[in-house]
Amino acid sequence: MNASNDDHYYQLLQRSFDGELTDAETVELREWLHQHPEAMERYLEHCQMESWLRDPALQTEPSEGKVISLSQEGATSQPRSNQSPIPQFPRWMMITAASVAFLLLASWFVNSIQPESETATSVARVIRVEGQGLVNAKRELVGGIELASGDRIEMKQGLVEMAFRDTGVHVIAAAPLSLTADNTGKMFLHDGEVKLHVPPQGVGFVVETEDRKITDLGTSFVVTAREDGGKLLVLDGEIAVANRDGSEERLMIEGEQANFEQGGKMTLHSKRPSGVPELDLLVGGLTERSLRGVIFGFEDPPPLPQIKPFQDLIGKQFLPLIRSGFSDRTSLSPLKQGESIRYAGIAGTYNRFPERTKLEPYANLLGWLAWYHGEVVPPQPGRYRFWGYADNQLLVSVDGKPVFEGSRYDSSFQEDLNVSRTNHPSFPCLNASAGFASGPWIELDGSKVQLDILFGEIYANATSGLLLVECESETYENTFWGQPKWPLFLTETPTSSEVRELEELRLHMEEKLMGSFSIANDAVWKVLPSN
């Protein structure tokens, strides 16, 4: 291989793990892998390494020439803090989502480079089978076979793992099982229990049962269908659930679980938090020394069919403000505003933030954004850079110029602003496969600067984030996995009760999520009173 081309495609490989490839780049990478078997070996090695980063329990030697799949005895995630285990769903259903995503991506690339004659009529490929089963009551169900439209799988015991073509939807299904692969974007579950992981290109994938139509909105979820009814559990993201005819549609978000009787009404009987604490200090306590903010949302939702899942309308509404250096607020006039709020750091989850900041009622499906604005003084002269992530939007601007963008891939801030950023997959975080992002170094002389922070959610209200700051002249303690404990970016010294709450969050992150931060009074940026 040519060295310069090798570097180019190696960068594409790395960016594929960060979820940053365009459609054209994906095609380019797939064709290159097809032409260079030695590159495919490198790709598979990276898949395994990235899975290890997400779940150390997966650290076993890979079989030569094969993508490692997760066995029934493989790694499972631990129950989240403040949650009891859910016995209805087997432990294998709770496999770490990020690890599954990496293995899924590998299998999708491998499957995609098969000769066209083998895949022309295929809608899905069987990856692994444990136990015995049949396809259409006559063909043996084994790993590696292709499923055509209308093929029906039946198993009395065991499990099957498969990936749908084009959409990349990954399915693990447990027996007793009967399901039909309708097409690349739809399956029918007659009987059994399935866990689905849906990547971005699979948004809109449909699972039908005898009574329900479940539409994915970019998520991971579990569906159980039996003669007497079924169950739903959303592990991550959102799904839309309706009757088979599309009527009585409703949204289910991360942590929600529902039962439904055959031909009967669906009952939402549990709503669980993500496990990451939502801090009490996020609201209240506003003083003249606080960095002030306002939360915004759309007043009225458009008709539901016009809403495209994860379309960042709220972020686009803010783009003119950002491009004006945060001076032209005209684009915000159509939006509804909540009460004045205090910036108390960005850390943990914000699932009830719109409710707690008096934005409700608002167009929940179109998300919300909080804008903090004021003049601040850095702790000392020097070079600084910001670290963090958000689901979905996070932007920091100094003197009207964006200096850090830590948003998820589907945010308008990442798509339209072209702010310099570096992803760090070796520093895992709550829900971003790209890991932490960092911005460029900025030089500050210690005098006052205008600070603007935007943080929010593009769809519904299941939001989380973390914003940290590094000073080049400072030295920081490392976590056991090698991540420096950069200080939480704060503009007020936290009280003793706030420190206790932040420490509880930090411990939770270190023990459950491999994320961390520190709380340093000498790293607080002081707010100047407004005139």
Side-chain angles (χ1 to χ4, degrees):
M1 291 185 288
N2 180 278
S4 60
N5 283 342
D6 188 29
D7 290 342
H8 168 69
Y9 288 109
Y10 179 79
Q11 291 177 12
L12 290 184
L13 283 176
Q14 185 58 53
R15 289 176 55 214
S16 72
F17 295 114
D18 298 341
E20 295 181 349
L21 291 187
T22 64
D23 291 343
E25 289 172 331
T26 299
V27 172
E28 180 186 6
L29 178 58
R30 188 169 63 231
E31 291 176 351
W32 182 69
L33 290 171
H34 177 58
Q35 296 168 6
H36 298 89
E38 69 275 24
M40 174 58 75
E41 292 181 7
R42 176 185 293 183
Y43 177 75
L44 297 177
E45 290 173 359
H46 274 269
C47 288
Q48 185 65 32
M49 290 174 64
E50 294 291 346
S51 295
W52 289 359
L53 287 174
R54 300 305 180 268
D55 195 337
L58 296 176
Q59 296 181 11
T60 56
E61 290 297 322
S63 302
E64 183 177 357
K66 296 182 179 180
V67 179
I68 300 300
S69 61
L70 301 178
S71 68
Q72 188 171 0
E73 292 76 24
T76 58
S77 64
Q78 297 297 319
R80 292 173 174 177
S81 176
N82 299 324
Q83 293 185 21
S84 57
I86 304 172
Q88 302 95 307
F89 300 94
R91 284 175 58 83
W92 62 266
M93 290 291 191
M94 309 302 289
I95 292 171
T96 305
S99 299
V100 172
F102 283 119
L103 297 174
L104 166 61
L105 185 60
S107 67
W108 177 65
F109 268 120
V110 173
N111 295 341
S112 298
I113 64 173
Q114 298 298 319
E116 184 175 353
S117 60
E118 294 183 19
T119 63
T121 60
S122 171
V123 300
R125 182 180 179 86
V126 176
I127 300 172
R128 174 174 61 103
V129 177
E130 293 187 8
Q132 294 182 333
L134 294 175
V135 180
N136 298 329
K138 57 183 179 181
R139 180 164 55 128
E140 184 181 2
L141 179 66
V142 295
I145 67 171
E146 304 290 334
L147 298 178
S149 176
D151 278 353
R152 182 162 176 166
I153 291 176
E154 293 184 310
M155 298 182 73
K156 292 184 178 179
Q157 61 180 8
L159 63 87
V160 59
E161 180 181 3
M162 68 182 74
F164 280 78
R165 297 195 176 276
D166 300 334
T167 55
V169 173
H170 180 269
V171 177
I172 299 178
L177 175 70
S178 177
L179 68 82
T180 298
D182 290 327
N183 53 54
T184 58
K186 180 184 173 185
M187 62 176 285
F188 194 105
L189 182 62
H190 308 274
D191 184 50
E193 189 165 57
V194 297
K195 176 186 180 288
L196 297 92
H197 176 82
V198 183
Q201 71 269 20
V203 169
F205 189 88
V206 172
V207 178
E208 286 193 351
T209 68
E210 294 294 338
D211 299 296
R212 303 292 162 184
K213 178 181 179 182
I214 302 149
T215 305
D216 169 79
L217 302 178
T219 186
S220 178
F221 62 102
V222 176
V223 184
T224 304
R226 302 297 182 197
E227 288 186 3
D228 57 351
K231 300 183 180 71
L232 285 172
L233 171 64
V234 183
L235 301 176
D236 179 54
E238 295 92 22
I239 59 175
V241 187
N243 295 327
R244 282 283 303 282
D245 61 5
S247 63
E248 298 184 15
E249 186 176 62
R250 65 152 296 157
L251 187 73
M252 287 181 64
I253 65 173
E254 177 181 345
E256 289 191 335
Q257 183 179 346
N259 286 354
F260 51 90
E261 298 178 0
Q262 188 173 28
K265 183 179 179 180
M266 184 180 74
T267 302
L268 183 68
H269 63 82
S270 111
K271 182 174 181 179
R272 303 169 185 267
S274 67
V276 180
E278 181 161 358
L279 305 178
D280 289 335
L281 61 85
L282 297 178
V283 295
L286 195 64
T287 72
E288 64 176 10
R289 293 286 182 175
S290 300
L291 181 66
R292 293 173 177 257
V294 178
I295 184 171
F296 294 84
F298 286 96
E299 183 82 36
D300 300 308
L304 190 58
Q306 296 181 18
I307 300 176
K308 296 180 180 180
F310 297 101
Q311 182 182 15
D312 186 11
L313 299 181
I314 187 76
K316 291 184 182 297
Q317 198 75 23
F318 273 75
L319 292 178
L321 172 73
I322 299 168
R323 290 171 174 148
S324 72
F326 292 87
S327 61
D328 184 358
R329 308 187 182 199
T330 306
S331 63
L332 306 186
S333 58
L335 300 176
K336 179 180 180 180
Q337 298 185 24
E339 62 182 14
S340 183
I341 54 178
R342 158 188 172 242
Y343 177 79
I346 293 175
T349 56
Y350 290 73
N351 299 339
R352 296 178 52 239
F353 201 56
E355 169 193 345
R356 298 170 67 190
T357 54
K358 304 299 189 291
L359 180 63
E360 293 187 335
Y362 73 110
N364 174 275
L365 293 183
L366 301 184
W368 57 267
L369 259 174
W371 173 27
Y372 302 94
H373 172 85
E375 291 184 332
V376 300
V377 176
Q380 61 185 15
R383 279 161 46 96
Y384 294 85
R385 65 176 170 179
F386 292 91
W387 291 78
Y389 68 91
D391 177 6
N392 296 91
Q393 300 144 317
L394 179 58
L395 186 77
V396 179
S397 176
V398 173
D399 285 338
K401 180 182 178 180
V403 297
F404 175 68
E405 184 271 302
S407 310
R408 208 173 75 165
Y409 65 88
D410 47 4
S411 167
S412 294
F413 297 166
Q414 186 168 150
E415 294 177 351
D416 298 330
L417 293 177
N418 196 30
V419 181
S420 176
R421 67 179 272 171
T422 303
N423 292 326
H424 301 267
S426 61
F427 295 153
C429 58
L430 178 61
N431 59 1
S433 60
F436 274 81
S438 65
W441 289 102
I442 57 173
E443 186 84 34
L444 299 176
D445 61 10
S447 59
K448 69 178 181 180
V449 295
Q450 175 188 315
L451 178 68
D452 293 275
I453 299 175
L454 293 174
F455 170 65
E457 168 64 39
I458 71 173
Y459 191 87
N461 61 345
T463 313
S464 61
L466 188 66
L467 178 60
L468 313 177
V469 64
E470 176 185 9
C471 180
E472 188 179 41
S473 62
E474 298 292 330
T475 301
Y476 304 102
E477 178 188 358
N478 282 359
T479 62
F480 69 87
W481 63 90
Q483 175 189 318
K485 295 184 180 182
W486 300 294
L488 189 67
F489 181 70
L490 295 172
T491 54
E492 289 183 72
T493 302
T495 66
S496 57
S497 61
E498 291 172 342
V499 169
R500 285 194 298 271
E501 194 174 11
L502 288 169
E503 285 293 342
E504 289 176 1
L505 171 62
R506 183 186 62 79
L507 289 173
H508 176 92
M509 294 182 68
E510 288 187 359
E511 294 173 359
K512 303 294 184 182
L513 308 170
M514 292 187 72
S516 189
F517 57 87
S518 60
I519 306 162
N521 291 340
D522 57 1
V524 173
W525 295 43
K526 300 296 184 182
V527 177
L528 299 179
S530 58
N531 296 327

